[in-house]
Structure formats: C-alpha cells, structure tokens
Amino acid sequence: MGLEGPVCEGVINRLHHPEINAAAWPVLMAIAIWVESPVIDLLSTSTTLAKSRQSYEVISKFVWYLLMWVSVAHALVVLTPAYDVVVQGMLGVKPDVAIAARAGLIILIPWSAMIGWRRYLQGILIRHGRTRSIGLGTTARVATLVVMAVILFRFTHLPSVVMASIAVILSVGVEAGFIHWLSRDVISVHFMRSEPSPEAPLTMKKLIGFHVPLSATTMVNLLIMPLVNAGLARSDRPVLALAGCGVAGSILFLHRAVTFCLPEVVITLYKSESYRAKLRSFSLGIGAISSGLILFLGVTRLDRYLFSWLIDAKHPIAEVAHWCYLYSAAVPFVDSAQAYVRGVLTAHHLTVSRLIAVLAAIVVLVGCVIAGVAFRWSGPVLAGASVTGALLAELVVLSIAWTKARSMVPTLASS
C-alpha cells in the first residue's frame, strides 16, 4: 500500500502545473483519510471481537451503519460550501490548490466505505490466520493502481490529480472486492454455524464501547497531517512547502507502512511474558531498521535520486522533500514503539488510554505548529519537528498508561 503515494506523486509531477497539483495531493489525502478515520479501527475491532456467529452478526450490522455515515460525511464535506470553509478558511490553503484538491475528493466519495468493508474483513482473516490473503489483496490493489495510472497517463488529458484519484479509487475497489471474495470461506466455516460460545454475547453497547475509543483516537490522531498542512500553508512559499513535504511524505510512508500492521500482530500473538518480550524486540527492531535506512539515504543524499528519478520531482520540490525526509528520520522508530504498546493495550481492552495519549499528541503538535509559524521555521523543520514531537508525546502517555495498568491489576503484571 505504501507504493500508492509514490505512484500518484510520480504521475502528478510528470504533468502540467506540478507544484500546484503536488501541493493539492497531500491536502486531498489528509482530508480523505481523516473522514475515513472512524472505519480504520474496524481491523482491530473485528480481530479482537469477531469470535462467534452472534458477535459476527452484531459487528456486521454496526459496520453497515458506520460505512453509510462516513460516506454521507465525505459527500457533505466536498459537495457543499463546507469545503471552502475547511480547506481555505481553517487550513489556509491557497484557492488554486484547494480547487485542484476538490476534484479528486469528489472522485473519492466511495473511498471510506470501501476501506471500511475491507478492513473489517481483513480483521476476520487475521484472527483466523489467513494473513496471506491480505497480501494477495494488497498485490491486486497495487497492480490495479499502477496499470490504471499508466493508462490514464498515456491515453487521457485529464488533470493529474483527477488521474491519480481515479487510479486510487479503482484500486481500492478491486482490493475490497478481492478481500470480500477471499473471506467467504472463512466466514462460512467459522460464523455460519450456530455453536455455543463460552463467552457472554456481544452486545451493541459493548461493541460501541470498545470501538468508539479506538475510532476517536484515530480521528484525533489523523488530525496531525491536516494541522501540519495548515502550518505549511502559512509558511514561507507555502505551495512549495506543501508540494515538497507531500513528496517526502509519500516515501516516508513506505518506511512507516511496515509498522502499521504491528498492533494486530501483537493482539493476535500476545499470550504470555515470553511472547511479550519477543514481540517488543521484534517491533522495535523493525522501527530501528526503517529509521536507520532514512538516515542513511538522507545523510548520503541518495534520497534525492528517489525524489528525482522515481517521482520526477523538479529541483526546488526535491530539495524541500530531502530536508523534510531527513528531519523525519525518527518517525518510523517511534511508530513501531507506539504500535507495540497500542497492541498490548488493545489486547487487554484498555482502549480509552489511547484516546488520552492522542490528545496529548495533538496538544504538542499544535504547539509545534504555532511555534513554527510564529518563528518562521522552514517547511521541512516545521513538519519534521511537529510530527516527531507529537508521536513522542503519544508514546510517553501510552507507556505510562500500560505501566499503571500492570501495577493496578495483578493479572496484567504477570502477562
């Protein structure tokens, strides 16, 4: 999935008005992903709670309602005057960048529902050990994205943001359909027979109580990029700052992507103290390797070949991207540490602490953005410092929450 950003940035930077459209793409994706945020943790919810036919039926009903509401919310944001209020007013994005981003967001209206259904079914597949199926779905998504991007690039004259958005929505649709097809036999075997469950029935109230803190946490957490974009939009040369940091973000996402599945790995495999130690070492090792690679590429300036060759970013954009990439080197390591602690907390149904941690992160982020705008930090410094500082604050609060939980509950101290 991490290849999605570089492919789209590659199309955008090879066509007309690359600076405007490259600036529009991170704005577009930040809004789309934030609107989608209530469905992202369906992966953790189904991984943790889909244990019987009864729980499957309750979760499925909840999922359909949720998908409907996020789709309506997306449409209301992009098809009404609320769009200008949010993008030009609150985020401070220049009008030409906002116009370019809006066209793509309209195409992505079905995005949240497709993502939500796919993540719900992926959680079921993970719970029953079918992770290979998820890899196949992702392969189908990336292949569709690349093929459609090439076709649209070669044979149409659409605006570059529109091309990228069409390729993305088609690839997401293919992946959702593929995962739906692959999950049918798992659902048939595990959820279509009425068998007594040793646990109490899952109620809608309990489900909402579990999912809402996760969802609220993700919604607040995903405010990070819109807030960073708001800071970049108020920096010197804002269009260049948005474009360059967007290009860097597409490569940085490749490094971060390897950490995003770690919470579900921890939830699924966490069983005892020995498992916990191994999972912690594995998670931190993944993050250390990923951050180390950023430092190597950034210090040697080999990253500029990625920006110039892979994405075809022009020199001013590539230079901004280089510094933003280097200043964000610690992000994957902090991501991996967070992922481990989040997974442990979720495995013990301690999801409220995640919301508190993210609120702390947002406070630190806002402080960094305000300082960056006030003291005229460059775009890369503002983005790197804000994101890294926010993630560190979140990690500290999560670690404190887990330490307190273990000291207060004897069964957790031994797990």
PDB file of all heavy atoms in Angstrom, residues 321-358:
ATOM      1  N   ALA A 321      11.804  18.286  -0.268  1.00  0.00           N
ATOM      2  CA  ALA A 321      11.494  16.905   0.105  1.00  0.00           C
ATOM      3  C   ALA A 321      12.671  16.258   0.834  1.00  0.00           C
ATOM      4  O   ALA A 321      12.482  15.513   1.808  1.00  0.00           O
ATOM      5  CB  ALA A 321      11.131  16.094  -1.132  1.00  0.00           C
ATOM      6  N   HIS A 322      13.900  16.512   0.372  1.00  0.00           N
ATOM      7  CA  HIS A 322      15.097  15.935   1.009  1.00  0.00           C
ATOM      8  C   HIS A 322      15.173  16.303   2.482  1.00  0.00           C
ATOM      9  O   HIS A 322      15.378  15.439   3.346  1.00  0.00           O
ATOM     10  CB  HIS A 322      16.353  16.411   0.279  1.00  0.00           C
ATOM     11  CG  HIS A 322      17.607  16.242   1.074  1.00  0.00           C
ATOM     12  ND1 HIS A 322      18.195  15.015   1.300  1.00  0.00           N
ATOM     13  CD2 HIS A 322      18.381  17.167   1.724  1.00  0.00           C
ATOM     14  CE1 HIS A 322      19.270  15.169   2.050  1.00  0.00           C
ATOM     15  NE2 HIS A 322      19.411  16.463   2.312  1.00  0.00           N
ATOM     16  N   TRP A 323      15.024  17.584   2.783  1.00  0.00           N
ATOM     17  CA  TRP A 323      15.164  18.020   4.173  1.00  0.00           C
ATOM     18  C   TRP A 323      13.992  17.553   5.028  1.00  0.00           C
ATOM     19  O   TRP A 323      14.179  17.174   6.193  1.00  0.00           O
ATOM     20  CB  TRP A 323      15.317  19.537   4.231  1.00  0.00           C
ATOM     21  CG  TRP A 323      16.638  19.983   3.695  1.00  0.00           C
ATOM     22  CD1 TRP A 323      16.892  20.634   2.520  1.00  0.00           C
ATOM     23  CD2 TRP A 323      17.920  19.758   4.297  1.00  0.00           C
ATOM     24  NE1 TRP A 323      18.239  20.830   2.338  1.00  0.00           N
ATOM     25  CE2 TRP A 323      18.906  20.307   3.425  1.00  0.00           C
ATOM     26  CE3 TRP A 323      18.339  19.147   5.473  1.00  0.00           C
ATOM     27  CZ2 TRP A 323      20.261  20.261   3.716  1.00  0.00           C
ATOM     28  CZ3 TRP A 323      19.698  19.102   5.761  1.00  0.00           C
ATOM     29  CH2 TRP A 323      20.637  19.648   4.890  1.00  0.00           C
ATOM     30  N   CYS A 324      12.809  17.533   4.479  1.00  0.00           N
ATOM     31  CA  CYS A 324      11.656  17.036   5.232  1.00  0.00           C
ATOM     32  C   CYS A 324      11.841  15.547   5.559  1.00  0.00           C
ATOM     33  O   CYS A 324      11.550  15.100   6.672  1.00  0.00           O
ATOM     34  CB  CYS A 324      10.379  17.255   4.422  1.00  0.00           C
ATOM     35  SG  CYS A 324       8.870  16.813   5.298  1.00  0.00           S
ATOM     36  N   TYR A 325      12.319  14.791   4.610  1.00  0.00           N
ATOM     37  CA  TYR A 325      12.583  13.361   4.782  1.00  0.00           C
ATOM     38  C   TYR A 325      13.624  13.124   5.875  1.00  0.00           C
ATOM     39  O   TYR A 325      13.434  12.290   6.773  1.00  0.00           O
ATOM     40  CB  TYR A 325      13.062  12.809   3.443  1.00  0.00           C
ATOM     41  CG  TYR A 325      13.381  11.341   3.373  1.00  0.00           C
ATOM     42  CD1 TYR A 325      12.383  10.380   3.386  1.00  0.00           C
ATOM     43  CD2 TYR A 325      14.707  10.917   3.242  1.00  0.00           C
ATOM     44  CE1 TYR A 325      12.684   9.026   3.275  1.00  0.00           C
ATOM     45  CE2 TYR A 325      15.017   9.568   3.125  1.00  0.00           C
ATOM     46  CZ  TYR A 325      14.013   8.625   3.143  1.00  0.00           C
ATOM     47  OH  TYR A 325      14.312   7.296   3.043  1.00  0.00           O
ATOM     48  N   LEU A 326      14.715  13.886   5.838  1.00  0.00           N
ATOM     49  CA  LEU A 326      15.791  13.711   6.813  1.00  0.00           C
ATOM     50  C   LEU A 326      15.340  14.110   8.214  1.00  0.00           C
ATOM     51  O   LEU A 326      15.650  13.423   9.201  1.00  0.00           O
ATOM     52  CB  LEU A 326      17.003  14.539   6.389  1.00  0.00           C
ATOM     53  CG  LEU A 326      18.282  14.364   7.216  1.00  0.00           C
ATOM     54  CD1 LEU A 326      18.722  12.904   7.243  1.00  0.00           C
ATOM     55  CD2 LEU A 326      19.397  15.250   6.666  1.00  0.00           C
ATOM     56  N   TYR A 327      14.596  15.211   8.325  1.00  0.00           N
ATOM     57  CA  TYR A 327      14.141  15.665   9.634  1.00  0.00           C
ATOM     58  C   TYR A 327      13.072  14.746  10.239  1.00  0.00           C
ATOM     59  O   TYR A 327      12.749  14.861  11.423  1.00  0.00           O
ATOM     60  CB  TYR A 327      13.581  17.092   9.551  1.00  0.00           C
ATOM     61  CG  TYR A 327      14.624  18.151   9.249  1.00  0.00           C
ATOM     62  CD1 TYR A 327      14.289  19.304   8.545  1.00  0.00           C
ATOM     63  CD2 TYR A 327      15.942  17.992   9.661  1.00  0.00           C
ATOM     64  CE1 TYR A 327      15.242  20.275   8.261  1.00  0.00           C
ATOM     65  CE2 TYR A 327      16.900  18.962   9.382  1.00  0.00           C
ATOM     66  CZ  TYR A 327      16.549  20.098   8.684  1.00  0.00           C
ATOM     67  OH  TYR A 327      17.486  21.058   8.403  1.00  0.00           O
ATOM     68  N   SER A 328      12.541  13.832   9.442  1.00  0.00           N
ATOM     69  CA  SER A 328      11.510  12.893   9.929  1.00  0.00           C
ATOM     70  C   SER A 328      12.081  11.500  10.189  1.00  0.00           C
ATOM     71  O   SER A 328      11.318  10.536  10.316  1.00  0.00           O
ATOM     72  CB  SER A 328      10.372  12.801   8.908  1.00  0.00           C
ATOM     73  OG  SER A 328       9.808  14.063   8.637  1.00  0.00           O
ATOM     74  N   ALA A 329      13.398  11.381  10.306  1.00  0.00           N
ATOM     75  CA  ALA A 329      14.041  10.067  10.382  1.00  0.00           C
ATOM     76  C   ALA A 329      13.576   9.245  11.579  1.00  0.00           C
ATOM     77  O   ALA A 329      13.505   8.013  11.515  1.00  0.00           O
ATOM     78  CB  ALA A 329      15.564  10.235  10.425  1.00  0.00           C
ATOM     79  N   ALA A 330      13.255   9.888  12.698  1.00  0.00           N
ATOM     80  CA  ALA A 330      12.886   9.144  13.905  1.00  0.00           C
ATOM     81  C   ALA A 330      11.458   8.613  13.861  1.00  0.00           C
ATOM     82  O   ALA A 330      11.085   7.767  14.691  1.00  0.00           O
ATOM     83  CB  ALA A 330      13.057  10.032  15.142  1.00  0.00           C
ATOM     84  N   VAL A 331      10.666   9.073  12.922  1.00  0.00           N
ATOM     85  CA  VAL A 331       9.232   8.750  12.916  1.00  0.00           C
ATOM     86  C   VAL A 331       8.946   7.240  12.863  1.00  0.00           C
ATOM     87  O   VAL A 331       8.146   6.739  13.666  1.00  0.00           O
ATOM     88  CB  VAL A 331       8.519   9.497  11.768  1.00  0.00           C
ATOM     89  CG1 VAL A 331       7.114   8.960  11.543  1.00  0.00           C
ATOM     90  CG2 VAL A 331       8.460  10.993  12.090  1.00  0.00           C
ATOM     91  N   PRO A 332       9.558   6.449  11.966  1.00  0.00           N
ATOM     92  CA  PRO A 332       9.238   5.014  11.951  1.00  0.00           C
ATOM     93  C   PRO A 332       9.580   4.289  13.252  1.00  0.00           C
ATOM     94  O   PRO A 332       8.848   3.389  13.670  1.00  0.00           O
ATOM     95  CB  PRO A 332      10.079   4.480  10.780  1.00  0.00           C
ATOM     96  CG  PRO A 332      10.310   5.650   9.903  1.00  0.00           C
ATOM     97  CD  PRO A 332      10.441   6.811  10.834  1.00  0.00           C
ATOM     98  N   PHE A 333      10.691   4.676  13.899  1.00  0.00           N
ATOM     99  CA  PHE A 333      11.050   4.018  15.161  1.00  0.00           C
ATOM    100  C   PHE A 333      10.013   4.315  16.236  1.00  0.00           C
ATOM    101  O   PHE A 333       9.581   3.414  16.970  1.00  0.00           O
ATOM    102  CB  PHE A 333      12.431   4.466  15.628  1.00  0.00           C
ATOM    103  CG  PHE A 333      12.861   3.796  16.899  1.00  0.00           C
ATOM    104  CD1 PHE A 333      13.323   2.487  16.889  1.00  0.00           C
ATOM    105  CD2 PHE A 333      12.779   4.459  18.118  1.00  0.00           C
ATOM    106  CE1 PHE A 333      13.709   1.853  18.062  1.00  0.00           C
ATOM    107  CE2 PHE A 333      13.156   3.840  19.291  1.00  0.00           C
ATOM    108  CZ  PHE A 333      13.618   2.529  19.273  1.00  0.00           C
ATOM    109  N   VAL A 334       9.585   5.571  16.327  1.00  0.00           N
ATOM    110  CA  VAL A 334       8.553   5.922  17.309  1.00  0.00           C
ATOM    111  C   VAL A 334       7.239   5.227  16.959  1.00  0.00           C
ATOM    112  O   VAL A 334       6.517   4.755  17.839  1.00  0.00           O
ATOM    113  CB  VAL A 334       8.372   7.455  17.380  1.00  0.00           C
ATOM    114  CG1 VAL A 334       7.322   7.815  18.420  1.00  0.00           C
ATOM    115  CG2 VAL A 334       9.690   8.133  17.711  1.00  0.00           C
ATOM    116  N   ASP A 335       6.933   5.144  15.664  1.00  0.00           N
ATOM    117  CA  ASP A 335       5.738   4.414  15.213  1.00  0.00           C
ATOM    118  C   ASP A 335       5.753   2.970  15.715  1.00  0.00           C
ATOM    119  O   ASP A 335       4.741   2.454  16.195  1.00  0.00           O
ATOM    120  CB  ASP A 335       5.671   4.392  13.686  1.00  0.00           C
ATOM    121  CG  ASP A 335       5.046   5.638  13.099  1.00  0.00           C
ATOM    122  OD1 ASP A 335       4.286   6.307  13.800  1.00  0.00           O
ATOM    123  OD2 ASP A 335       5.325   5.929  11.927  1.00  0.00           O
ATOM    124  N   SER A 336       6.896   2.304  15.579  1.00  0.00           N
ATOM    125  CA  SER A 336       6.968   0.890  15.955  1.00  0.00           C
ATOM    126  C   SER A 336       6.817   0.706  17.462  1.00  0.00           C
ATOM    127  O   SER A 336       6.158  -0.240  17.911  1.00  0.00           O
ATOM    128  CB  SER A 336       8.293   0.287  15.478  1.00  0.00           C
ATOM    129  OG  SER A 336       9.390   0.849  16.168  1.00  0.00           O
ATOM    130  N   ALA A 337       7.409   1.601  18.236  1.00  0.00           N
ATOM    131  CA  ALA A 337       7.252   1.521  19.689  1.00  0.00           C
ATOM    132  C   ALA A 337       5.798   1.752  20.088  1.00  0.00           C
ATOM    133  O   ALA A 337       5.242   1.046  20.940  1.00  0.00           O
ATOM    134  CB  ALA A 337       8.166   2.545  20.368  1.00  0.00           C
ATOM    135  N   GLN A 338       5.179   2.746  19.458  1.00  0.00           N
ATOM    136  CA  GLN A 338       3.752   3.002  19.703  1.00  0.00           C
ATOM    137  C   GLN A 338       2.897   1.806  19.331  1.00  0.00           C
ATOM    138  O   GLN A 338       1.976   1.432  20.063  1.00  0.00           O
ATOM    139  CB  GLN A 338       3.301   4.193  18.851  1.00  0.00           C
ATOM    140  CG  GLN A 338       3.420   5.530  19.502  1.00  0.00           C
ATOM    141  CD  GLN A 338       2.623   6.558  18.725  1.00  0.00           C
ATOM    142  OE1 GLN A 338       1.581   6.263  18.149  1.00  0.00           O
ATOM    143  NE2 GLN A 338       3.106   7.773  18.704  1.00  0.00           N
ATOM    144  N   ALA A 339       3.180   1.217  18.187  1.00  0.00           N
ATOM    145  CA  ALA A 339       2.376   0.096  17.699  1.00  0.00           C
ATOM    146  C   ALA A 339       2.400  -1.056  18.689  1.00  0.00           C
ATOM    147  O   ALA A 339       1.365  -1.687  18.949  1.00  0.00           O
ATOM    148  CB  ALA A 339       2.888  -0.366  16.342  1.00  0.00           C
ATOM    149  N   TYR A 340       3.566  -1.331  19.252  1.00  0.00           N
ATOM    150  CA  TYR A 340       3.670  -2.405  20.237  1.00  0.00           C
ATOM    151  C   TYR A 340       2.806  -2.104  21.463  1.00  0.00           C
ATOM    152  O   TYR A 340       2.009  -2.952  21.902  1.00  0.00           O
ATOM    153  CB  TYR A 340       5.125  -2.599  20.663  1.00  0.00           C
ATOM    154  CG  TYR A 340       5.251  -3.419  21.915  1.00  0.00           C
ATOM    155  CD1 TYR A 340       5.027  -4.791  21.893  1.00  0.00           C
ATOM    156  CD2 TYR A 340       5.540  -2.813  23.136  1.00  0.00           C
ATOM    157  CE1 TYR A 340       5.094  -5.537  23.052  1.00  0.00           C
ATOM    158  CE2 TYR A 340       5.613  -3.548  24.293  1.00  0.00           C
ATOM    159  CZ  TYR A 340       5.389  -4.914  24.251  1.00  0.00           C
ATOM    160  OH  TYR A 340       5.450  -5.644  25.405  1.00  0.00           O
ATOM    161  N   VAL A 341       2.934  -0.903  22.021  1.00  0.00           N
ATOM    162  CA  VAL A 341       2.189  -0.568  23.235  1.00  0.00           C
ATOM    163  C   VAL A 341       0.688  -0.517  22.946  1.00  0.00           C
ATOM    164  O   VAL A 341      -0.127  -0.984  23.743  1.00  0.00           O
ATOM    165  CB  VAL A 341       2.680   0.769  23.830  1.00  0.00           C
ATOM    166  CG1 VAL A 341       1.922   1.087  25.117  1.00  0.00           C
ATOM    167  CG2 VAL A 341       4.171   0.713  24.116  1.00  0.00           C
ATOM    168  N   ARG A 342       0.297   0.027  21.788  1.00  0.00           N
ATOM    169  CA  ARG A 342      -1.121   0.058  21.427  1.00  0.00           C
ATOM    170  C   ARG A 342      -1.687  -1.352  21.309  1.00  0.00           C
ATOM    171  O   ARG A 342      -2.807  -1.624  21.737  1.00  0.00           O
ATOM    172  CB  ARG A 342      -1.321   0.808  20.105  1.00  0.00           C
ATOM    173  CG  ARG A 342      -1.196   2.294  20.205  1.00  0.00           C
ATOM    174  CD  ARG A 342      -1.903   3.003  19.045  1.00  0.00           C
ATOM    175  NE  ARG A 342      -1.488   2.482  17.754  1.00  0.00           N
ATOM    176  CZ  ARG A 342      -0.497   2.967  17.020  1.00  0.00           C
ATOM    177  NH1 ARG A 342       0.209   3.983  17.475  1.00  0.00           N
ATOM    178  NH2 ARG A 342      -0.196   2.455  15.847  1.00  0.00           N
ATOM    179  N   GLY A 343      -0.915  -2.241  20.700  1.00  0.00           N
ATOM    180  CA  GLY A 343      -1.374  -3.619  20.565  1.00  0.00           C
ATOM    181  C   GLY A 343      -1.587  -4.283  21.915  1.00  0.00           C
ATOM    182  O   GLY A 343      -2.585  -4.975  22.130  1.00  0.00           O
ATOM    183  N   VAL A 344      -0.662  -4.086  22.845  1.00  0.00           N
ATOM    184  CA  VAL A 344      -0.783  -4.674  24.185  1.00  0.00           C
ATOM    185  C   VAL A 344      -2.010  -4.120  24.901  1.00  0.00           C
ATOM    186  O   VAL A 344      -2.793  -4.864  25.506  1.00  0.00           O
ATOM    187  CB  VAL A 344       0.496  -4.399  25.000  1.00  0.00           C
ATOM    188  CG1 VAL A 344       0.297  -4.799  26.462  1.00  0.00           C
ATOM    189  CG2 VAL A 344       1.681  -5.147  24.415  1.00  0.00           C
ATOM    190  N   LEU A 345      -2.203  -2.810  24.829  1.00  0.00           N
ATOM    191  CA  LEU A 345      -3.360  -2.194  25.487  1.00  0.00           C
ATOM    192  C   LEU A 345      -4.675  -2.692  24.884  1.00  0.00           C
ATOM    193  O   LEU A 345      -5.634  -2.988  25.607  1.00  0.00           O
ATOM    194  CB  LEU A 345      -3.275  -0.666  25.369  1.00  0.00           C
ATOM    195  CG  LEU A 345      -2.178   0.007  26.195  1.00  0.00           C
ATOM    196  CD1 LEU A 345      -2.015   1.465  25.768  1.00  0.00           C
ATOM    197  CD2 LEU A 345      -2.504  -0.057  27.687  1.00  0.00           C
ATOM    198  N   THR A 346      -4.716  -2.792  23.548  1.00  0.00           N
ATOM    199  CA  THR A 346      -5.936  -3.261  22.885  1.00  0.00           C
ATOM    200  C   THR A 346      -6.214  -4.715  23.224  1.00  0.00           C
ATOM    201  O   THR A 346      -7.373  -5.110  23.414  1.00  0.00           O
ATOM    202  CB  THR A 346      -5.819  -3.087  21.357  1.00  0.00           C
ATOM    203  OG1 THR A 346      -5.516  -1.721  21.064  1.00  0.00           O
ATOM    204  CG2 THR A 346      -7.121  -3.466  20.668  1.00  0.00           C
ATOM    205  N   ALA A 347      -5.175  -5.534  23.318  1.00  0.00           N
ATOM    206  CA  ALA A 347      -5.354  -6.945  23.670  1.00  0.00           C
ATOM    207  C   ALA A 347      -6.007  -7.111  25.030  1.00  0.00           C
ATOM    208  O   ALA A 347      -6.719  -8.090  25.281  1.00  0.00           O
ATOM    209  CB  ALA A 347      -4.004  -7.663  23.640  1.00  0.00           C
ATOM    210  N   HIS A 348      -5.797  -6.124  25.913  1.00  0.00           N
ATOM    211  CA  HIS A 348      -6.411  -6.161  27.243  1.00  0.00           C
ATOM    212  C   HIS A 348      -7.634  -5.248  27.331  1.00  0.00           C
ATOM    213  O   HIS A 348      -8.101  -4.937  28.431  1.00  0.00           O
ATOM    214  CB  HIS A 348      -5.387  -5.750  28.299  1.00  0.00           C
ATOM    215  CG  HIS A 348      -4.297  -6.768  28.501  1.00  0.00           C
ATOM    216  ND1 HIS A 348      -3.096  -6.708  27.840  1.00  0.00           N
ATOM    217  CD2 HIS A 348      -4.252  -7.893  29.260  1.00  0.00           C
ATOM    218  CE1 HIS A 348      -2.340  -7.731  28.201  1.00  0.00           C
ATOM    219  NE2 HIS A 348      -3.014  -8.465  29.055  1.00  0.00           N
ATOM    220  N   HIS A 349      -8.146  -4.797  26.178  1.00  0.00           N
ATOM    221  CA  HIS A 349      -9.350  -3.953  26.084  1.00  0.00           C
ATOM    222  C   HIS A 349      -9.168  -2.619  26.814  1.00  0.00           C
ATOM    223  O   HIS A 349     -10.144  -2.019  27.276  1.00  0.00           O
ATOM    224  CB  HIS A 349     -10.576  -4.692  26.644  1.00  0.00           C
ATOM    225  CG  HIS A 349     -10.957  -5.895  25.843  1.00  0.00           C
ATOM    226  ND1 HIS A 349     -12.224  -6.413  25.832  1.00  0.00           N
ATOM    227  CD2 HIS A 349     -10.242  -6.707  25.016  1.00  0.00           C
ATOM    228  CE1 HIS A 349     -12.268  -7.492  25.051  1.00  0.00           C
ATOM    229  NE2 HIS A 349     -11.063  -7.676  24.544  1.00  0.00           N
ATOM    230  N   LEU A 350      -7.943  -2.119  26.895  1.00  0.00           N
ATOM    231  CA  LEU A 350      -7.663  -0.843  27.544  1.00  0.00           C
ATOM    232  C   LEU A 350      -7.540   0.240  26.479  1.00  0.00           C
ATOM    233  O   LEU A 350      -6.480   0.823  26.259  1.00  0.00           O
ATOM    234  CB  LEU A 350      -6.375  -0.951  28.368  1.00  0.00           C
ATOM    235  CG  LEU A 350      -6.364  -2.029  29.450  1.00  0.00           C
ATOM    236  CD1 LEU A 350      -4.972  -2.170  30.060  1.00  0.00           C
ATOM    237  CD2 LEU A 350      -7.380  -1.698  30.542  1.00  0.00           C
ATOM    238  N   THR A 351      -8.661   0.503  25.799  1.00  0.00           N
ATOM    239  CA  THR A 351      -8.612   1.387  24.628  1.00  0.00           C
ATOM    240  C   THR A 351      -8.759   2.865  24.969  1.00  0.00           C
ATOM    241  O   THR A 351      -8.380   3.715  24.169  1.00  0.00           O
ATOM    242  CB  THR A 351      -9.704   0.989  23.625  1.00  0.00           C
ATOM    243  OG1 THR A 351     -10.983   1.015  24.277  1.00  0.00           O
ATOM    244  CG2 THR A 351      -9.458  -0.418  23.097  1.00  0.00           C
ATOM    245  N   VAL A 352      -9.324   3.200  26.135  1.00  0.00           N
ATOM    246  CA  VAL A 352      -9.536   4.610  26.469  1.00  0.00           C
ATOM    247  C   VAL A 352      -8.203   5.340  26.598  1.00  0.00           C
ATOM    248  O   VAL A 352      -8.076   6.514  26.224  1.00  0.00           O
ATOM    249  CB  VAL A 352     -10.352   4.737  27.777  1.00  0.00           C
ATOM    250  CG1 VAL A 352     -10.472   6.199  28.199  1.00  0.00           C
ATOM    251  CG2 VAL A 352     -11.743   4.134  27.584  1.00  0.00           C
ATOM    252  N   SER A 353      -7.178   4.654  27.112  1.00  0.00           N
ATOM    253  CA  SER A 353      -5.868   5.286  27.286  1.00  0.00           C
ATOM    254  C   SER A 353      -5.300   5.771  25.963  1.00  0.00           C
ATOM    255  O   SER A 353      -4.537   6.740  25.919  1.00  0.00           O
ATOM    256  CB  SER A 353      -4.897   4.313  27.956  1.00  0.00           C
ATOM    257  OG  SER A 353      -4.782   3.125  27.198  1.00  0.00           O
ATOM    258  N   ARG A 354      -5.651   5.107  24.862  1.00  0.00           N
ATOM    259  CA  ARG A 354      -5.151   5.522  23.554  1.00  0.00           C
ATOM    260  C   ARG A 354      -5.680   6.891  23.171  1.00  0.00           C
ATOM    261  O   ARG A 354      -4.971   7.706  22.575  1.00  0.00           O
ATOM    262  CB  ARG A 354      -5.526   4.490  22.492  1.00  0.00           C
ATOM    263  CG  ARG A 354      -4.752   3.187  22.620  1.00  0.00           C
ATOM    264  CD  ARG A 354      -5.170   2.174  21.574  1.00  0.00           C
ATOM    265  NE  ARG A 354      -5.054   2.700  20.218  1.00  0.00           N
ATOM    266  CZ  ARG A 354      -5.324   1.988  19.134  1.00  0.00           C
ATOM    267  NH1 ARG A 354      -5.716   0.728  19.246  1.00  0.00           N
ATOM    268  NH2 ARG A 354      -5.209   2.519  17.934  1.00  0.00           N
ATOM    269  N   LEU A 355      -6.934   7.182  23.529  1.00  0.00           N
ATOM    270  CA  LEU A 355      -7.508   8.496  23.229  1.00  0.00           C
ATOM    271  C   LEU A 355      -6.788   9.587  24.019  1.00  0.00           C
ATOM    272  O   LEU A 355      -6.468  10.652  23.481  1.00  0.00           O
ATOM    273  CB  LEU A 355      -9.000   8.503  23.547  1.00  0.00           C
ATOM    274  CG  LEU A 355      -9.731   9.835  23.344  1.00  0.00           C
ATOM    275  CD1 LEU A 355      -9.579  10.321  21.910  1.00  0.00           C
ATOM    276  CD2 LEU A 355     -11.198   9.696  23.717  1.00  0.00           C
ATOM    277  N   ILE A 356      -6.516   9.329  25.288  1.00  0.00           N
ATOM    278  CA  ILE A 356      -5.810  10.311  26.114  1.00  0.00           C
ATOM    279  C   ILE A 356      -4.428  10.592  25.538  1.00  0.00           C
ATOM    280  O   ILE A 356      -3.975  11.741  25.476  1.00  0.00           O
ATOM    281  CB  ILE A 356      -5.704   9.801  27.561  1.00  0.00           C
ATOM    282  CG1 ILE A 356      -7.102   9.618  28.161  1.00  0.00           C
ATOM    283  CG2 ILE A 356      -4.877  10.753  28.420  1.00  0.00           C
ATOM    284  CD1 ILE A 356      -7.110   8.912  29.503  1.00  0.00           C
ATOM    285  N   ALA A 357      -3.748   9.531  25.083  1.00  0.00           N
ATOM    286  CA  ALA A 357      -2.409   9.690  24.511  1.00  0.00           C
ATOM    287  C   ALA A 357      -2.443  10.541  23.252  1.00  0.00           C
ATOM    288  O   ALA A 357      -1.576  11.407  23.045  1.00  0.00           O
ATOM    289  CB  ALA A 357      -1.814   8.321  24.213  1.00  0.00           C
ATOM    290  N   VAL A 358      -3.439  10.324  22.404  1.00  0.00           N
ATOM    291  CA  VAL A 358      -3.521  11.080  21.155  1.00  0.00           C
ATOM    292  C   VAL A 358      -3.866  12.542  21.429  1.00  0.00           C
ATOM    293  O   VAL A 358      -3.370  13.447  20.746  1.00  0.00           O
ATOM    294  CB  VAL A 358      -4.534  10.429  20.196  1.00  0.00           C
ATOM    295  CG1 VAL A 358      -4.790  11.311  18.997  1.00  0.00           C
ATOM    296  CG2 VAL A 358      -4.012   9.078  19.732  1.00  0.00           C
TER     297      VAL A 358
END
